[in-house]
C-alpha cells in the first residue's frame, strides 16, 4: 500500500504543502479553521508522521532499546524474559513507543549495538539487564548520555535509574522455610556467577545457611540452562550425605532437577524438596507442582518502562524498589526425611 503524503492532504484541502506542514506540526501560519480541516483530512486518509523524518529534525525516535547478552536459544525457554518484555510492551505500546530488541553473545557486542542505535537516532533510551559487577556498558551509556534504567539494584558506580527487588530477603525467607521443615542439608544451584543478582543471591544464601548453623554452604554455579541445572542436580544427589532440599535460581533448572530426581528413583518431596526461583507457568505444569519464589515479573517490566519514560521526559533518575518475592508453597517441598 502506498504511503499517504502531505501532498495528497494539500490537494484534498485545496491549500499549499507549506500550509499542511504548518498545521500538522502545530506551527503558526494558518487559521484555526484551516488547521482543523487539514487535521480532519489527515486523520481520514490515515496519515501518520514519519518517525525517521522527525528524528532527523531533532525530535524523538519513539523507540526504546533492550540488548540481551544471552545465547539466543536460551531465551525461548526462559520464562523471565518473556514476562519482563511483556510488561515493558504493556507500558510502551500505550505511549506508541517501539521496543527494539537485539540478542547478542556478550557485552562487547551489546556496546556495539548501543552505539549504533544511538548514532542512528533509533532509540530515546535503554533498558539494561543482566548487570555485571564490572559492567562495560555503563561507562559507554554515561559517555553517550543515553537515558537508561537498570533492571537491578542501584549501583555505587553510576547514577542511572534502577528498578529492583530485595533478593536477600527472598532468599532468607526460602532458607528459613526449609529449615522450619527440618532440612539441615540444603544446597543452591545458582546462575551465572558474574551476574550482579547471582552474586547477591549466593551471598544471601551463604549468610542464611551459616546463621542457622548448617555448616559450609553448598553452591553450584551454572549458566541457567536446563542442561546445566540437570547436571548440577545429578552431581549433588550422587554425593554421600546428599542434600534433602535444593533451591534453584530459575524455573527451567528446577524443572530439569525434578526429572533428574525421578530418573534417580528419588521421591519429590519425600526424599528431596525442590524450590524454584521465578514461579512461571512451568511450576504448575509439572507434578508435583513446584514451590517457588513468586513475584509479578510483568509489573517489574512495566515499572521499569515507567522509570525510563520519566528519564526520557527529562525527570531526574530514581530508584524504585518493587515488592519482595513471596514464597508460594506447592507439592515439591515437605518435611525433611527422617535421619
Amino acid at each position: 500500500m502506498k504511503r499517504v503524503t502531505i501532498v495528497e492532504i494539500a490537494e484534498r484541502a485545496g491549500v499549499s504543502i507549506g500550509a499542511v506542514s504548518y498545521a500538522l506540526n502545530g506551527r503558526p501560519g494558518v487559521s484555526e479553521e484551516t488547521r482543523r480541516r487539514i487535521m480532519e483530512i489527515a486523520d481520514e486518509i490515515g496519515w501518520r508522521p514519519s518517525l525517521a523524518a522527525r528524528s532527523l529534525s531533532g525530535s524523538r525516535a519513539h523507540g526504546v532499546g533492550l540488548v540481551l547478552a544471552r545465547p539466543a536459544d536460551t531465551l525461548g525457554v526462559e520464562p523471565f524474559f518473556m514476562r519482563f518484555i511483556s510488561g515493558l510492551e504493556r507500558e510502551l505500546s500505550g505511549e506508541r513507543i517501539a521496543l527494539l530488541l537485539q540478542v547478542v553473545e556478550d557485552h562487547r557486542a551489546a556496546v556495539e549495538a548501543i552505539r549504533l542505535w544511538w548514532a542512528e537516532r533509533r532509540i530515546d533510551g535503554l533498558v539494561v539487564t543482566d548487570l555485571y559487577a564490572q559492567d562495560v556498558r555503563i561507562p559507554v551509556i554515561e559517555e553517550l548520555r543515553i537515558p537508561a534504567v537498570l533492571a537491578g539494584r542501584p549501583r555505587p558506580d553510576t547514577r542511572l535509574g534502577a528498578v529492583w527487588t530485595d533478593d536477600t530477603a527472598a532468599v532468607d525467607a526460602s532458607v528459613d522455610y526449609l529449615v522450619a521443615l527440618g532440612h539441615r542439608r540444603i544446597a543452591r544451584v545458582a546462575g551465572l556467577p558474574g551476574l550482579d543478582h547471582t552474586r547477591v543471591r549466593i551471598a544471601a544464601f551463604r549468610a542464611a545457611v551459616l546463621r542457622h548453623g548448617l555448616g559450609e554452604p553448598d553452591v553450584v554455579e551454572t549458566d541457567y540452562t536446563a542442561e546445566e541445572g540437570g547436571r548440577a542436580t545429578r552431581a549433588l544427589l550422587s554425593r554421600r550425605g546428599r542434600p534433602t532440599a535444593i533451591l534453584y535460581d530459575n524455573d527451567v533448572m528446577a524443572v530439569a532437577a525434578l526429572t533428574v530426581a525421578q530418573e534417580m528413583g528419588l521421591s519429590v518431596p519425600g526424599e528431596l524438596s525442590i524450590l524454584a526461583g521465578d514461579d512461571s507457568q512451568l511450576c504448575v505444569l509439572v507434578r508435583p507442582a513446584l514451590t517457588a519464589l513468586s513475584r509479578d515479573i510483568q509489573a517489574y517490566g512495566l515499572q521499569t518502562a515507567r522509570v525510563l519514560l520519566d528519564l526520557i521526559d527529562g525527570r531526574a533518575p530514581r530508584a524504585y524498589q518493587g515488592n519482595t518475592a513471596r514464597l508460594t508453597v506447592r507439592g515439591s517441598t515437605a518435611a525433611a526425611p527422617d535421619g
Side-chain angles (χ1 to χ4, degrees):
M1 181 181 293
K2 184 181 177 183
R3 182 183 179 87
V4 177
T5 68
I6 64 172
V7 174
E8 295 173 60
I9 299 172
E11 289 174 351
R12 291 200 181 201
V15 298
S16 68
I17 294 174
V20 174
S21 179
Y22 290 150
L24 296 178
N25 289 290
R27 295 163 57 191
V30 293
S31 69
E32 287 306 312
E33 176 62 24
T34 301
R35 188 188 307 277
R36 181 188 59 77
R37 187 168 78 256
I38 289 171
M39 297 301 291
E40 286 177 353
I41 292 171
D43 186 62
E44 179 185 333
I45 65 177
W47 178 86
R48 293 293 181 271
S50 165
L51 291 184
R54 292 171 66 180
S55 296
L56 290 173
S57 67
S59 58
R60 291 182 181 173
H62 291 258
V64 163
L66 172 61
V67 185
L68 298 178
R70 290 281 187 102
D73 57 355
T74 67
L75 295 180
V77 294
E78 177 52 81
F80 172 87
F81 279 111
M82 299 303 102
R83 294 158 72 196
F84 180 73
I85 290 171
S86 174
L88 290 175
E89 286 280 21
R90 182 175 163 188
E91 182 68 15
L92 295 175
S93 61
E95 301 294 328
R96 295 187 177 181
I97 294 174
L99 177 67
L100 276 70
L101 172 64
Q102 186 166 342
V103 180
V104 297
E105 287 298 318
D106 53 34
H107 283 179
R108 185 181 299 277
V111 166
E112 292 177 3
I114 290 167
R115 286 189 181 277
L116 181 63
W117 280 353
W118 192 245
E120 293 180 347
R121 307 183 75 168
R122 296 174 65 188
I123 58 170
D124 299 310
L126 279 169
V127 175
V128 187
T129 64
D130 284 349
L131 293 153
Y132 279 64
Q134 302 296 324
D135 201 302
V136 298
R137 296 170 296 175
I138 290 177
V140 174
I141 292 168
E142 292 181 326
E143 170 200 336
L144 298 175
R145 298 184 181 180
I146 305 175
V149 60
L150 309 178
R153 61 177 182 164
R155 297 167 60 101
D157 59 346
T158 181
R159 295 183 60 192
L160 295 177
V163 179
W164 64 296
T165 59
D166 190 346
D167 283 331
T168 297
V171 173
D172 280 348
S174 301
V175 174
D176 290 348
Y177 165 70
L178 292 172
V179 170
L181 289 175
H183 293 278
R184 293 296 178 268
R185 297 192 302 276
I186 304 172
R188 181 173 186 83
V189 176
L192 291 163
L195 290 173
D196 198 23
H197 63 260
T198 302
R199 293 158 63 98
V200 168
R201 293 169 185 173
I202 289 175
F205 176 74
R206 291 184 183 279
V209 167
L210 293 173
R211 172 166 52 82
H212 284 289
L214 303 183
E216 183 62 26
D218 200 350
V219 177
V220 181
E221 297 168 344
T222 71
D223 63 359
Y224 282 117
T225 63
E227 292 75 16
E228 283 288 301
R231 189 176 298 115
T233 301
R234 191 171 288 104
L236 286 168
L237 297 181
S238 298
R239 295 177 184 175
R240 175 179 291 184
R242 66 183 178 229
T244 60
I246 307 177
L247 294 81
Y248 292 84
D249 234 348
N250 70 358
D251 297 346
V252 172
M253 294 195 296
V255 170
L258 180 60
T259 300
V260 168
Q262 292 168 344
E263 288 174 352
M264 296 179 71
L266 295 176
S267 168
V268 177
E271 296 173 277
L272 174 69
S273 286
I274 293 176
L275 197 153
D278 291 324
D279 198 18
S280 68
Q281 198 168 9
L282 287 176
C283 293
V284 296
L285 292 177
V286 294
R287 290 292 178 270
L290 299 177
T291 295
L293 282 170
S294 179
R295 59 173 171 158
D296 191 339
I297 296 172
Q298 284 190 345
Y300 184 47
L302 186 147
Q303 189 58 52
T304 300
R306 286 178 178 170
V307 171
L308 180 56
L309 293 178
D310 283 347
L311 287 170
I312 292 171
D313 285 337
R315 298 183 181 91
R318 63 187 177 101
Y320 175 88
Q321 183 176 354
N323 294 330
T324 301
R326 67 186 186 280
L327 199 61
T328 298
V329 177
R330 299 192 182 97
S332 67
T333 51
D338 293 341

